[in-house]
């Protein structure tokens, strides 16, 4: 008699059933007998309370899992969906109830869960644990990336990925359009008359409504709320959302991908990261479909290249850096910053209009686009000297698309330059002039963006110059940061003193958030 096999699939491994490595391996081990496999999905409370995650993030995760169980059943699989305190509890109970002797699982993307899997595989006595390689990223297929032992800058990584998968390459093996990067054409500020396409929204079905109720009841102390949840939670909805992006937003995505708006948050961005990070849509497929829009003459190359670079370049590079730098990355603090997150990061109550609008949208929706995250939030955190791990934990808590593998290298490494330059060669810091150039925030703000110091000066300005004053020696030693400190020659000794005093008074005046629930609990997730 064929022994039963458990196929354990994690919440962020919701891949298309016919191509899922866990299901394929389970079928192979069962000799092709689908009835000898029981698929196991575990809704772990500990996993969802490691931090006080945003309720819309929890709704997305849990609703996608529950819908995925239905997708698997429709494909003929026997599925057991368990709600347990921990993953370990769920596996143990399922094993005892079904008496299976083998479990097939795919390596977790997040370090804490991956460590748990390895411990379980080493200690399992009642069953054999087959842990297979994760297939959710493509950089492993690139010999250049796999073989490299030293650090690689993102641009070279990106070019290697483009060559490997022949994305936007001409018949001679050169980049389409004669250049690899169209960044210079993709930094346009908002047009004065903002005309945006209608935002596609997905009305919650009965499954999602039940999840929303469960989240409000079971995770009442978490950030945000479930009201207005409208994200795609199924593979069909994810594909519909991407079709909508290609048809209505791709054309203008490139030129305005760095723009920010006082009144609108999504602009021309795809907002596909939440479903892509769960496995509901494939990254390489998205890149090829975007390229097809260019080949068909329906989208300009700067928009398509910018989109592909974000996915096959930046996203893959970030995951590669996570694997290289963990577990040390979580505690990296190359600039020795120690402040806690300010209270207004949690309630949006600040007179700085850019931060008020961005944080307010985040509390409401669980989403900001990449420039708001990098050039406003991480910029402020860097200038204010906030502890990198505290910033990362906040990002993990607040965003619907947050995952350990994306947040730690993107925030601690790229945004805060706390990893010694392994992810990015310089910190992303800027004064209020950058925010003013790329948005309309400043025209609605009480502070004066053109003033460097004084009572009504923009805090980003004096914090920026204070950072340069305090770190002048260190920044001069880095060729890429040298140009920043050259501007100090225009700042008199008297103004340096005034900037320093005002910056310190401002930072001392902030109300900082020190709730112990904010510290992550990864034990037995």
């Amino acid at each position: 008699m064929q022994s039963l096999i458990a196929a354990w699939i994690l919440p962020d491994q919701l891949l298309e059933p016919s191509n899922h490595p866990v299901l394929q391996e389970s079928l192979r081990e069962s000799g092709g007998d689908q009835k000898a496999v029981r698929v196991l999905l575990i809704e772990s409370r500990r996993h969802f309370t490691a931090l006080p995650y945003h309720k819309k993030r929890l709704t997305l995760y849990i609703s996608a899992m529950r819908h995925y169980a239905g997708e698997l059943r429709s494909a003929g699989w026997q599925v057991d969906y368990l709600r347990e305190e921990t993953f370990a509890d769920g596996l143990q109970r399922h094993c005892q109830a079904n008496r299976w002797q083998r479990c097939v699982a795919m390596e977790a993307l997040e370090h804490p869960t991956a460590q748990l899997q390895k411990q379980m595989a080493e200690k399992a006595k009642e069953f054999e644990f087959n842990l297979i390689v994760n297939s959710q990223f493509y950089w492993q297929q690139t010999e250049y990336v796999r073989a490299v032992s030293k650090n690689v800058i993102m641009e070279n990584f990106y070019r290697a990925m483009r060559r490997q998968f022949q994305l936007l390459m001409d018949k001679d093996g050169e980049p389409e359009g004669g250049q690899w990067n169209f960044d210079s054409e993709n930094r346009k500020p908002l047009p004065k008359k903002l005309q945006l396409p209608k935002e596609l929204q997905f009305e919650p079905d009965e499954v999602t409504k039940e999840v929303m109720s469960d989240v409000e009841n079971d995770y009442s102390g978490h950030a945000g709320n479930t009201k207005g949840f409208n994200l795609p939670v199924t593979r069909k909805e994810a594909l519909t959302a991407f079709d909508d992006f290609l048809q209505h937003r791709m054309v203008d995505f490139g030129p305005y991908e760095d723009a920010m708006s006082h009144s609108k948050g999504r602009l021309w961005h795809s907002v596909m990261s939440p479903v892509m990070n769960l496995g509901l849509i494939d990254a390489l497929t998205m890149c090829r479909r975007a390229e097809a829009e260019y080949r068909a003459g329906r989208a300009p190359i700067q928009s398509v290249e910018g989109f592909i670079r974000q996915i096959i370049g930046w996203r893959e590079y970030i995951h590669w850096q996570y694997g290289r730098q963990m577990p040390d990355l979580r505690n990296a603090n190359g600039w020795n910053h120690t402040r806690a997150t300010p209270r207004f990061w949690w309630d949006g109550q600040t007179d700085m209009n850019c931060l008020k609008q961005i944080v307010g949208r985040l509390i409401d929706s669980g989403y900001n686009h990449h420039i708001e995250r990098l050039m406003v939030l991480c910029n402020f955190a860097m200038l204010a000297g906030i502890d990198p791990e505290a910033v990362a934990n906040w990002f993990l808590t607040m965003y619907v698309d947050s995952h350990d593998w994306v947040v730690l290298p993107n925030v601690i490494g790229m945004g805060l330059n706390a990893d010694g330059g392994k992810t990015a060669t310089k910190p992303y810091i800027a004064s209020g002039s950058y925010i003013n150039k790329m948005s309309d925030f400043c025209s609605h703000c009480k502070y004066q963006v053109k003033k460097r110091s004084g009572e009504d000066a923009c805090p980003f300005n004096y914090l920026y110059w204070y950072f340069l004053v305090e770190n002048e020696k260190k920044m001069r030693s880095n060729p890429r940061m040298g140009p920043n400190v050259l501007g100090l020659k225009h700042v008199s000794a008297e103004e340096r003193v005034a900037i320093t005093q005002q910056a310190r008074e401002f930072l001392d005046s902030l109300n900082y958030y020190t709730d112990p629930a904010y510290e992550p609990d990864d034990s037995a997730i």
Side-chain angles (χ1 to χ4, degrees), residues 54-56 59 215-216 222-229 363-364:
H54 199 294
K55 291 176 182 176
K56 284 189 172 66
T59 301
V215 167
E216 290 290 356
H222 283 234
N225 58 66
T226 63
K227 184 179 180 181
F229 179 85
I363 293 170
D364 179 61

Side-chain angles (χ1 to χ4, degrees), residues 123-139:
K123 297 178 180 180
K125 295 180 180 179
E126 299 178 4
F127 57 87
E128 177 186 341
F129 200 107
N130 183 1
L131 194 57
I132 62 177
V133 175
N134 192 292
S135 67
Q136 291 175 266
F137 283 84
Y138 287 95
W139 63 262

Side-chain angles (χ1 to χ4, degrees), residues 102-214:
R102 283 184 289 171
C103 178
V104 178
M106 187 164 66
E107 294 174 340
L109 293 174
E110 297 184 305
H111 187 263
T113 311
Q115 292 300 106
L116 171 68
Q117 288 179 321
K118 290 177 182 177
Q119 292 169 8
M120 294 175 64
E122 292 170 357
K123 297 178 180 180
K125 295 180 180 179
E126 299 178 4
F127 57 87
E128 177 186 341
F129 200 107
N130 183 1
L131 194 57
I132 62 177
V133 175
N134 192 292
S135 67
Q136 291 175 266
F137 283 84
Y138 287 95
W139 63 262
Q140 295 99 323
Q141 299 179 30
T142 308
E143 183 62 31
Y144 167 79
V145 175
R146 286 204 319 270
V148 72
S149 58
K150 61 182 181 179
N151 202 45
V152 176
I153 63 173
M154 206 284 261
E155 181 64 25
N156 291 341
F157 180 101
Y158 168 56
R159 294 182 185 188
M161 294 292 285
R162 285 265 299 275
R163 291 190 183 100
Q164 175 70 27
F165 298 104
Q166 288 298 293
L167 288 163
L168 287 180
M169 304 297 292
D170 66 21
K171 62 182 180 180
D172 297 319
E174 296 298 319
E176 192 70 33
Q179 61 193 71
W180 290 99
N181 191 315
F182 289 83
D183 248 0
S184 60
E185 299 179 35
N186 288 351
R187 294 195 175 101
K188 292 184 179 180
L190 287 171
K192 291 184 178 180
K193 292 185 178 180
L194 188 62
Q195 293 184 337
L196 291 169
K198 183 180 179 180
E199 292 188 12
L200 181 64
Q201 299 181 350
F202 296 89
E203 188 69 24
D205 62 9
E206 292 306 310
V207 173
T208 300
K209 288 178 181 177
E210 183 177 12
V211 171
M212 292 165 70
S213 178
D214 289 345

